[in-house]
Amino acid sequence: MKLLIISVCTAGLGYITPSQAQASLQRIPVTLQSVEDTFLVQNYMLLAQRYQIDASKALVRQAKIWDNPEFSTVLGWGSTDQLKPFNIGSGGQAQYDIDQLIQLAGKRNKNIQLAGAAASMNEATFDELVRTLKLQLRENFYDIYYTQQTGLVLKEQLDNLQKIVDAYVEADKKGSVPHSDVIRLQALQVELENDYADLKQEELNAQKNLQQLLHSQDFYEARLASGDLAHYTLDHIQLQQLLDSAAQNRPDVRVAALQYQTAELNYRLQKSMAVPDLHVGATYDKAGSYINNFVGLKLGIDLPLWNRNQGNIRSAQNQVKSEAEQFKQQQSVAQTEVLNAYQRILALEKRYKSFDLQEFQQQFDTLIDEVAKNFRKGNISLLQFIDYFNSYSDNAKNINRFLSNRVNAYEELNYATGQELFK
């Protein structure tokens, strides 16, 4: 009986190498690249932001268009003594006026610059949205991958443990094993099933997040090739360069810079609004002037006696100061996030490089073999063997969690810098 149990146990004690297991859901195999390609063309938020960019570019074109001229007319209507509607023929009167607004003090160019800044801000906002959503996409992809790898181990452990439980239940009926051993095995089974259920819930949460990003109802099997993670390294990366780049080029920093630029442009526009605009036009008067068929040049300008746009100028001036501080704040936030993400990677890499996972795998396999041999000889009890069995499951969970944290730390550095550092 013991030899049978040992052969069943040790068959399932492989390391976290992926193996095919029966799943309740049909999963579509995907790579990170295929997921990102789908994301860029199917995510509704990105599509909506692209339309915002096109809309803002259309407003730039609109700002370049001159104001339409204004046409007005006065048609003869007779007199109070004798009404003659539309009396514009012989002996009648008609007057025609045309007026063109000419903006002075560079108002038109300043409005064009404001519209251009708004378009640039929408583009930066799009880049910021891509940056944020891409981090979520990659984190959920890697979460799916590593929970699935852990799930393969736990599923195999559960299958083998079920065989052990079944064998001990039969042996218990015959009185050849202590009943307490059966209870202990069943308790271990419940514990492992709870761990497996929790793990599947973690995977389902990541699947849900990925489905929402891709606007899909499919379930995915995340796949990584052996060299897909080799580019996650800090070699040839200088921290100071990352800090400087993030302070200037990160999308949310660019948005803050453009908001500051927009405030300055608006301030200059409000100052120019204090300069009145010029109206230039022409008039034709058929019979209402000192001569018939009178033609005249019209010039008009507002008189800035009371309203010189003082309030808007003061408001715009204070807005410039506010946006300047916001810009500095966003630069500081970006640099702090880069520094923290970089330090997190250093801490993880220190542990990663000091711990040879392949060697550990061999050592653990050797340990399990020795445990099996000693159990076969009766040197260790069933409960001791179960403890080693249980520790292997914990080890699989911890290693995959560590690997997931490591790769996600690199993605957070990508996010913090606003760059694709690891390709």
Side-chain angles (χ1 to χ4, degrees):
M1 173 64 74
K2 285 188 176 181
L3 291 176
L4 174 62
I5 294 172
I6 292 171
S7 62
V8 172
C9 291
T10 55
L13 291 178
Y15 193 58
I16 58 175
T17 304
S19 62
Q20 296 298 326
Q22 296 297 322
S24 58
L25 295 172
Q26 184 66 33
R27 292 179 173 84
I28 298 176
V30 290
T31 64
L32 180 59
Q33 186 61 54
S34 65
V35 166
E36 289 188 353
D37 291 342
T38 302
F39 160 74
L40 291 174
V41 297
Q42 287 189 190
N43 185 270
Y44 295 149
M45 295 178 68
L46 294 184
L47 295 175
Q49 188 60 37
R50 285 194 182 101
Y51 285 119
Q52 289 291 336
I53 293 174
D54 293 339
S56 61
K57 289 181 178 178
L59 293 178
V60 175
R61 293 192 293 270
Q62 180 63 36
K64 295 179 180 179
I65 300 174
W66 286 86
D67 292 323
N68 290 324
E70 180 182 339
F71 173 79
S72 62
T73 182
V74 177
L75 303 177
W77 209 260
S79 67
T80 56
D81 296 331
Q82 186 179 4
L83 295 178
K84 293 182 179 180
F86 300 105
N87 183 18
I88 60 175
S90 176
Q93 160 67 354
Q95 179 180 340
Y96 305 102
D97 296 284
I98 189 167
D99 183 272
Q100 175 67 54
L101 175 67
I102 299 178
Q103 293 181 327
L104 301 180
K107 296 185 185 72
R108 179 171 172 272
N109 287 334
K110 291 181 177 65
N111 278 310
I112 293 173
Q113 292 171 356
L114 271 172
S120 298
M121 193 178 304
N122 274 317
E123 291 175 346
T125 301
F126 175 80
D127 292 339
E128 172 65 9
L129 181 61
V130 171
R131 180 178 78 108
T132 302
L133 295 183
K134 187 173 285 189
L135 174 66
Q136 297 176 16
L137 180 84
R138 291 178 176 179
E139 285 183 337
N140 283 287
F141 176 85
Y142 287 123
D143 285 347
I144 289 173
Y145 175 79
Y146 285 110
T147 54
Q148 286 178 344
Q149 298 310 299
T150 305
L152 292 174
V153 175
L154 296 188
K155 180 66 167 59
E156 198 167 4
Q157 294 287 74
L158 277 170
D159 291 342
N160 287 295
L161 185 58
Q162 183 63 56
K163 295 175 183 178
I164 297 173
V165 171
D166 292 342
Y168 262 73
V169 168
E170 290 299 320
D172 182 42
K173 292 178 181 178
K174 299 175 182 178
S176 58
V177 296
H179 183 67
S180 60
D181 287 351
V182 177
I183 299 300
R184 180 67 180 87
L185 284 170
Q186 289 175 335
L188 175 63
Q189 186 180 31
V190 170
E191 180 182 353
L192 198 59
E193 285 175 346
N194 286 336
D195 289 345
Y196 185 73
D198 292 341
L199 186 74
K200 299 310 291 183
Q201 185 58 53
E202 291 178 19
E203 182 192 339
L204 284 175
N205 290 336
Q207 291 276 4
K208 178 192 69 175
N209 294 334
L210 193 60
Q211 289 169 341
Q212 290 176 346
L213 289 167
L214 301 179
H215 299 289
S216 168
Q217 296 181 349
D218 296 324
F219 288 85
Y220 301 99
E221 177 190 337
R223 291 189 175 181
L224 289 176
S226 57
D228 286 349
L229 302 180
H231 54 277
Y232 287 111
T233 174
L234 290 179
D235 295 345
H236 312 299
I237 289 180
Q238 300 296 324
L239 175 59
Q240 190 58 50
Q241 293 178 352
L242 297 182
L243 293 172
D244 294 341
S245 177
Q248 297 298 324
N249 302 319
R250 211 172 82 164
D252 57 341
V253 174
R254 294 207 320 269
V255 169
L258 287 165
Q259 288 174 334
Y260 174 54
Q261 177 185 343
T262 299
E264 286 189 315
L265 289 171
N266 182 58
Y267 174 58
R268 293 201 291 267
L269 175 62
Q270 295 304 322
K271 289 177 65 177
S272 68
M273 294 292 288
V275 178
D277 295 326
L278 178 65
H279 291 267
V280 178
T283 182
Y284 166 78
D285 196 327
K286 178 181 178 182
S289 185
Y290 68 97
I291 58 173
N292 291 333
N293 298 316
F294 169 80
V295 177
L297 173 67
K298 293 177 61 179
L299 295 174
I301 192 169
D302 293 334
L303 299 178
L305 297 179
W306 299 285
N307 183 0
R308 295 186 297 276
N309 209 36
Q310 303 97 315
N312 288 333
I313 292 173
R314 179 62 62 86
S315 175
Q317 187 177 31
N318 288 320
Q319 190 64 34
V320 170
K321 296 177 181 178
S322 174
E323 294 299 341
E325 299 304 319
Q326 292 289 343
F327 177 44
K328 294 176 184 176
Q329 168 68 13
Q330 200 60 45
Q331 286 182 313
S332 176
V333 168
Q335 291 181 319
T336 301
E337 290 181 355
V338 169
L339 182 60
N340 279 271
Y342 187 86
Q343 292 297 327
R344 183 187 177 200
I345 291 176
L346 289 180
L348 289 170
E349 283 298 324
K350 185 176 181 180
R351 295 168 56 196
Y352 182 72
K353 292 179 180 179
S354 64
F355 191 69
D356 191 331
L357 293 180
Q358 185 175 4
E359 182 182 353
F360 181 77
Q361 171 186 351
Q362 296 172 352
Q363 292 177 352
F364 208 101
D365 289 343
T366 301
L367 174 62
I368 292 299
D369 290 339
E370 291 299 319
V371 169
K373 291 178 184 178
N374 279 280
F375 180 60
R376 191 179 296 117
K377 295 176 182 179
N379 294 333
I380 62 174
S381 67
L382 174 62
L383 294 181
Q384 289 175 309
F385 183 81
I386 289 174
D387 287 337
Y388 284 108
F389 181 92
N390 197 25
S391 67
Y392 182 81
S393 300
D394 292 338
N395 175 71
K397 290 184 290 185
N398 292 334
I399 287 182
N400 280 311
R401 187 179 297 112
F402 173 79
L403 293 175
S404 178
N405 289 339
R406 176 181 176 270
V407 70
N408 283 331
Y410 277 98
E411 287 302 329
E412 286 178 6
L413 185 59
N414 269 338
Y415 173 79
T417 59
Q419 302 178 61
E420 291 289 342
L421 298 172
F422 313 105
K423 293 184 178 180

